[in-house]
Amino acid sequence: MRESGDLRFLLILREHASLLAAARTLGLTPSAVSQRLQHIERGLDVHLVDRSSRKLRFTEEGELLCQQGLGVIEQFDTLLEEVRSRRGGMIGTLKINAPLGFGRRYIAAAAAEYQQLHPEVDVVLALSDQPLTEIGERFDVGIHIGELALSNLIGYTIAPNARFVCAAPALLRQYGVPETPEQLAQLPCIALRENNEDGTLWHFKKGRTTRSVRVQPKLICNDGDVVHQWAREGRGIIVRSEWDVAADIASGDLVRLLPAFKLSDAHVIALTHARKGLPVRTRSFMKFLQERFQPLPPWRQPPQ
């Protein structure tokens, strides 16, 4: 006996006490019912039903299996009903994983507000600088910035996000404003090393032309906040996401460089492990995020 269906089959036999009646209920022929019963008995190596007369008589072992099995089936059905009710309601635990910087600035507040709107949902937010594909612990929603390496995760766009080359005004007064991407190789730059990506090779597009520049950074860090702060202090030129530097560009603390040359976008996406069968709380949270960042995300809204 390998599945609950065998137990249900035996309970139907016991209820009807005849092969013919059980066959009608199951939508099978009497011979098919008999063959399945024989298969179950062979699997257990136990005689369960005496078929010597027209009426089925369960042996002591068969009766024990049915009596105990009924409780098992009832518990199993109760469990399934609970799972279905949880899937249909805003209840349970929602596990969210997000990058450190973006998570602190945007996802933490969103997660707390979502939990307040849905008190029966427990929110667990984990901030990490590890790529989602390398995180062993399962999450319900993962927030990712930029392109995703090959994986079986399903992505949903949350918000648009470009990437800019930036520097502090003080550094530009000292070294001048670069006019082409190639000039960056001769200027002090800062590299961010994250998601196992090569942070020293910067790719630009202008029309149909692509240019790649290998910068020679004197400062490298795996923390975006540190890289951002170094740039504000005039220590080098950086490539950063729009969400992180838009306010500094608007205030003049940083200057966007080479606006005619486009870097690849790094849109904000939400990731799940499956496309179908997601709990309501998971689908609801992703919709909540999309509505929160649309029609314009905070970094594209005019200063208040």
Side-chain angles (χ1 to χ4, degrees):
M1 181 171 295
R2 299 180 180 178
E3 55 186 46
S4 64
D6 289 340
L7 272 177
R8 297 181 191 275
F9 172 80
L10 291 174
L11 289 171
I12 290 174
L13 285 185
R14 184 167 175 264
E15 177 184 357
H16 293 286
S18 79
L19 284 175
L20 184 59
R24 289 172 180 164
T25 300
L26 294 167
L28 301 172
T29 64
S31 61
V33 172
S34 180
Q35 289 174 10
R36 182 168 181 182
L37 177 57
Q38 292 174 20
H39 178 74
I40 294 172
E41 289 179 327
R42 283 196 300 269
L44 294 173
D45 195 23
V46 174
H47 185 57
L48 299 175
V49 181
D50 183 1
R51 300 183 284 280
S52 59
S53 63
R54 295 184 63 183
K55 187 174 182 180
L56 298 177
R57 296 184 182 274
F58 276 71
T59 64
E60 184 176 342
E61 291 77 13
E63 285 288 346
L64 175 64
L65 186 59
C66 287
Q67 291 171 6
Q68 298 293 328
L70 180 60
V72 172
I73 290 297
E74 289 176 346
Q75 290 179 17
F76 183 70
D77 288 344
T78 300
L79 175 61
L80 288 182
E81 186 60 33
E82 181 179 349
V83 169
R84 291 191 184 100
S85 66
R86 287 169 66 91
R87 184 181 182 277
M90 300 301 294
I91 188 172
T93 301
L94 178 66
K95 294 183 178 181
I96 308 166
N97 187 285
L100 287 168
F102 190 82
R104 291 193 195 104
R105 191 176 305 184
Y106 294 111
I107 300 302
E113 184 177 331
Y114 181 81
Q115 196 285 321
Q116 189 173 25
L117 290 173
H118 305 287
E120 296 301 315
V121 176
D122 298 329
V123 173
V124 178
L125 174 62
L127 302 182
S128 171
D129 59 358
Q130 282 185 282
L132 291 176
T133 52
E134 294 183 7
I135 294 174
E137 184 177 355
R138 188 176 180 87
F139 55 84
D140 297 304
V141 179
I143 306 301
H144 183 76
I145 311 294
E147 295 183 3
L148 183 67
L150 292 176
S151 77
N152 58 354
L153 299 173
I154 310 301
Y156 302 85
T157 301
I158 298 298
N161 176 57
R163 294 162 73 231
F164 298 151
V165 182
C166 305
L171 183 137
L172 298 177
R173 286 194 294 268
Q174 181 179 357
Y175 291 94
V177 178
E179 297 181 357
T180 66
E182 288 75 15
Q183 291 178 306
L184 296 174
Q186 308 304 320
L187 297 174
C189 294
I190 302 170
L192 174 65
R193 182 171 291 162
E194 63 178 356
N195 295 337
N196 297 326
E197 296 175 354
D198 185 351
T200 65
L201 187 61
W202 297 354
H203 303 283
F204 298 86
K205 288 190 69 175
K206 187 176 182 181
R208 297 183 179 181
T209 304
T210 300
R211 303 186 187 184
S212 298
V213 178
R214 175 74 68 180
V215 298
Q216 304 297 325
K218 297 297 184 182
L219 290 171
I220 300 174
C221 186
N222 68 335
D223 188 297
D225 287 348
V226 172
V227 168
H228 185 171
Q229 184 58 35
W230 282 343
R232 284 170 53 93
E233 294 169 357
R235 301 182 186 278
I237 299 171
I238 61 170
V239 167
R240 283 299 286 154
S241 279
E242 179 185 3
W243 70 261
D244 190 32
V245 296
D248 287 308
I249 293 173
S251 67
D253 292 328
L254 290 174
V255 177
R256 181 184 176 187
L257 306 177
L258 304 171
F261 296 88
K262 180 178 175 57
L263 291 155
S264 60
D265 290 328
H267 299 315
V268 182
I269 57 177
L271 301 169
T272 64
H273 291 277
R275 192 178 300 277
K276 297 181 179 179
L278 294 175
V280 170
R281 61 184 178 273
T282 300
R283 290 185 280 112
S284 171
F285 180 68
M286 289 195 297
K287 183 179 179 181
F288 175 79
L289 286 181
Q290 289 173 329
E291 293 175 348
R292 191 180 183 91
F293 290 102
Q294 293 177 4
L296 288 177
W299 49 90
R300 292 191 178 178
Q301 295 179 10
Q304 299 264 331

